[in-house]
Amino acid sequence: MTQHSGSSFGAPTSSIPRRKMLKFSLFGAVGLVLSPAALTACSNGSKTALAGGQEAVALPAFAAPVKPTPTLPGTSDGVMDVYASFPMNGPVTVKDVVGDGSEFEFLVMTYGQPAPPLEENAYWQILNKELNLKLKPVMVPYADFPQKFPAMVAGNDLPDVVSVPVNMTVNRLPELAKTQFTDLSDFISGDAVKKYPNLAGIPPYAWKNGLLNGRMYGVPKTDPVFGGQMYTKPDVFEKAGANLTPKSLEEFEESMKAVTDPKAGVYALGNPITDFILQSYGVQNKWTQASDGTFTSHFESEQFIPAIEKMATYYKAGYFHPDTATLEKTRRDSLFRTSKLAMTYDGNRAFGIIADDRNLVFSMMPSFGFDGTATPTYWTGKGAYAITMLKKTTDEKKIDQFLKTMNWLCAPFGSKESFIASYGQEGTNYEMRDGVAILTERGQREQDLGFAYIAGGPQVLVNPQGAPGVDAAIHAWQTSVIPYLAEDPTAHLYSPTQNSKGASLEQGMTDAITAVFLGRSSSASLKSAVSTWKSNGGEKIATEFAEAVKA
């Protein structure tokens, strides 16, 4: 399962579809291309740091939250703590009443079915009681968000609280924040955050996502630093006599060839693995910053074209499912679960952590260098799932109530507040089995409310309902890639051109890569594509990132 053993875990394979969050689309991390008037998307996500040379305020002071002793401890590098179950009767971290009984309307992007209405939703009811608020979610499905959010901005129809996933680029976000949302700097920057102790437990890397125009506007929902990974089906590999832990692309191709059996409808993969291949070549995470402060895109690295060429040879050899070009994630996941795909590249913790995956047996492939000796890279994410902002107001009472609500949501693992946010009401949302809280089907369903996803502190691995051993396996895999972590040096820099044109520029490169991968164009076309990318804005983006660093 880990880099060292490659062992699997769990029980016989289940074909039940996963009902939780969609993490990755066909060619990479989910991105929603929105209208230029309000929202665009690209794989790099929003650039949320200094703009216009304004000096930034201090990030909120960090105070490590008190937590129970983990079964497997995490690390300061990002490996997550592991717990066998959620501790019962945890401490209360918020002693004062949070709300004043008023309405708390919030916009959140959701991935499941709409949550049941308040009168039928015990989870919603207990949140209202605990917070002394009347939560009023504006739940927008991810498929509708590209149209809904711009319309709400244009129509001045945003609710008081707005949560925006960081993998999306809001057009002119710093300017939008300045005109539409409340500057929270005086209330949470530096030591000011200590008034809200649970907010002080949010790590600095997550807070960087809420720093806009050098001011604090957003409270983050902390996310692990890990991005994509290669999941494997041991039953398919074992039947084919294939190697689950290749140490080079040569060995990787041998495994792909061995597991592919078109007559049985079994293929190695069903989605392109661009990032995976680039990382095996040691390509840096999106951008590289030189000692003189200049930036160079990974598209310009000498390994970029050879890596795409290599991926194209795998498709030509027939190792990919014939429907790869149009294969939707839901069907791809089903093919993986039923062992018709031997591998799939998806987000961290994409499988095995929910009850639907209790019987799923899978492994996670370790990172390796392309030639067996080169050092690979592992691209980290932005450290937050979303940032949540308050509509512009000077009412300090309203600001305080917003921050108190966020403070309650960010209560650390093991606390009473965190337990309620995770499990809801006993008897309806969860039941006790051998001293362990287990979500009921109703409990899982009612959490589609989305409230728990708008803010939060450090996450942990505690999935007693998932595949047996899944948390320890994820912990071991995370540990294995730590030596290869590569951050995107532009992750929290702001470039006006990236913000306004990044999505279309990225799409142009994605189209060029896809054409080569599917055999519709030669690899030589990538040189022209990179040249076009540079002249249409790529070079200007690099210059603006350099200027942002100097500011």
Side-chain angles (χ1 to χ4, degrees), residues 73-134:
T75 69
S76 59
D77 296 313
V79 176
M80 301 164 72
D81 289 327
V82 173
Y83 294 89
S85 62
F86 207 110
M88 305 302 296
N89 303 314
V92 174
T93 66
V94 179
K95 302 205 170 22
D96 297 331
V97 176
V98 175
D100 59 5
S102 62
E103 195 172 83
F104 187 91
E105 188 176 23
F106 63 97
L107 175 70
V108 61
M109 188 169 75
T110 60
Y111 297 86
Q113 295 296 315
L118 175 62
E119 60 272 16
E120 301 173 16
N121 194 317
Y123 176 71
W124 192 342
Q125 292 168 19
I126 195 172
L127 289 177
N128 280 354
K129 179 181 177 181
E130 289 293 322
L131 291 162
N132 192 34
L133 290 170
K134 298 172 184 175

Side-chain angles (χ1 to χ4, degrees), residues 323-374:
D323 295 337
T324 291
T326 58
L327 204 57
E328 294 290 338
K329 176 177 166 58
T330 301
R331 185 180 168 213
R332 186 169 67 245
D333 286 356
S334 177
L335 290 171
F336 178 71
R337 286 187 167 86
T338 55
S339 297
K340 293 301 182 181
L341 289 179
M343 295 178 279
T344 191
Y345 190 71
D346 212 321
N348 187 248
R349 300 174 300 156
F351 295 95
I353 66 173
I354 60 172
D356 286 352
D357 279 352
R358 179 72 181 175
N359 297 319
L360 183 66
V361 181
F362 66 96
S363 299
M364 292 170 280
M365 187 173 286
S367 296
F368 57 81
F370 75 100
D371 63 356
T373 61

Side-chain angles (χ1 to χ4, degrees), residues 326-505:
T326 58
L327 204 57
E328 294 290 338
K329 176 177 166 58
T330 301
R331 185 180 168 213
R332 186 169 67 245
D333 286 356
S334 177
L335 290 171
F336 178 71
R337 286 187 167 86
T338 55
S339 297
K340 293 301 182 181
L341 289 179
M343 295 178 279
T344 191
Y345 190 71
D346 212 321
N348 187 248
R349 300 174 300 156
F351 295 95
I353 66 173
I354 60 172
D356 286 352
D357 279 352
R358 179 72 181 175
N359 297 319
L360 183 66
V361 181
F362 66 96
S363 299
M364 292 170 280
M365 187 173 286
S367 296
F368 57 81
F370 75 100
D371 63 356
T373 61
T375 301
T377 52
Y378 181 82
W379 296 355
T380 61
K382 298 176 75 66
Y385 163 71
I387 59 170
T388 296
M389 299 176 285
L390 176 67
K391 199 169 182 179
K392 200 171 189 67
T393 181
T394 57
D395 185 340
E396 293 195 6
K397 184 178 179 181
K398 190 170 188 177
I399 295 170
D400 182 55
Q401 182 164 286
F402 167 73
L403 291 173
K404 282 181 177 178
T405 305
M406 297 298 99
N407 183 63
W408 189 94
L409 259 181
C410 292
F413 174 80
S415 66
K416 178 187 175 183
E417 297 88 357
S418 181
F419 182 84
I420 292 172
S422 300
Y423 287 91
Q425 189 174 92
E426 185 174 5
T428 50
N429 298 132
Y430 74 93
E431 55 191 36
M432 299 302 298
R433 298 179 193 168
D434 300 322
V436 176
I438 301 294
L439 279 172
T440 62
E441 180 130 348
R442 176 178 175 179
Q444 295 180 58
R445 176 78 180 80
E446 291 183 355
Q447 287 196 13
D448 286 331
L449 183 73
F451 182 67
Y453 296 104
I454 67 175
Q459 295 187 39
V460 301
L461 292 166
V462 53
N463 299 291
Q465 291 177 266
V470 65
D471 291 333
I474 294 172
H475 182 278
W477 179 86
Q478 289 180 350
T479 301
S480 78
V481 300
I482 288 296
Y484 313 127
L485 295 186
E487 296 181 3
D488 177 358
T490 71
H492 303 292
L493 297 178
Y494 179 74
S495 156
T497 304
Q498 168 67 29
N499 194 256
S500 62
K501 298 181 66 176
S504 60
L505 290 171

